[in-house]
Amino acid sequence: MLMGMSAYFLTARTAVNREDPVGLLGMGAPEDEYDPEVRDLVKWRKAVTPEQVSAVFLRWFGESGVMPPDMAARIADGINQAHAQHLPN
């Protein structure tokens, strides 16, 4: 595992990368391309909503970060599953 990266973070990263919300990974960007956005989404260590996912990507990427609601919902679900798996209450 990479130094300083928790299993929660890495699982959340996988959920974001699977969707590749801005299409950067498909253009050859590295696996850690969305790490700043993932950090924003996991820093509260609680469940996230699709609206929060959309807001983070819009803030980081402007209009390029606009995503369909179903994509935001899949990312939120993946992050929330990571939370449940790695940070049980």
Side-chain angles (χ1 to χ4, degrees), residues 41 44 47-59 65-77 79-80:
L41 291 165
W44 300 288
V48 297
T49 65
E51 294 77 18
Q52 288 170 313
V53 171
S54 292
V56 164
F57 278 87
L58 185 61
R59 183 168 53 83
V66 173
M67 68 181 72
D70 60 322
M71 179 184 285
R74 288 190 301 270
I75 291 171
D77 185 56
I79 291 170
N80 293 337

Side-chain angles (χ1 to χ4, degrees), residues 2-56:
L2 299 172
M3 293 290 291
M5 293 199 181
S6 70
Y8 173 41
F9 178 88
L10 293 174
T11 305
R13 174 204 271 175
T14 298
V16 172
N17 285 355
R18 185 176 356 180
E19 295 296 328
D20 192 10
V22 187
L24 299 175
L25 299 177
M27 292 188 297
E31 174 182 85
D32 64 355
E33 178 67 32
Y34 297 118
D35 281 6
E37 296 77 24
V38 174
R39 272 193 288 280
D40 278 358
L41 291 165
V42 303
K43 69 183 175 189
W44 300 288
R45 301 177 72 84
K46 62 180 184 177
V48 297
T49 65
E51 294 77 18
Q52 288 170 313
V53 171
S54 292
V56 164

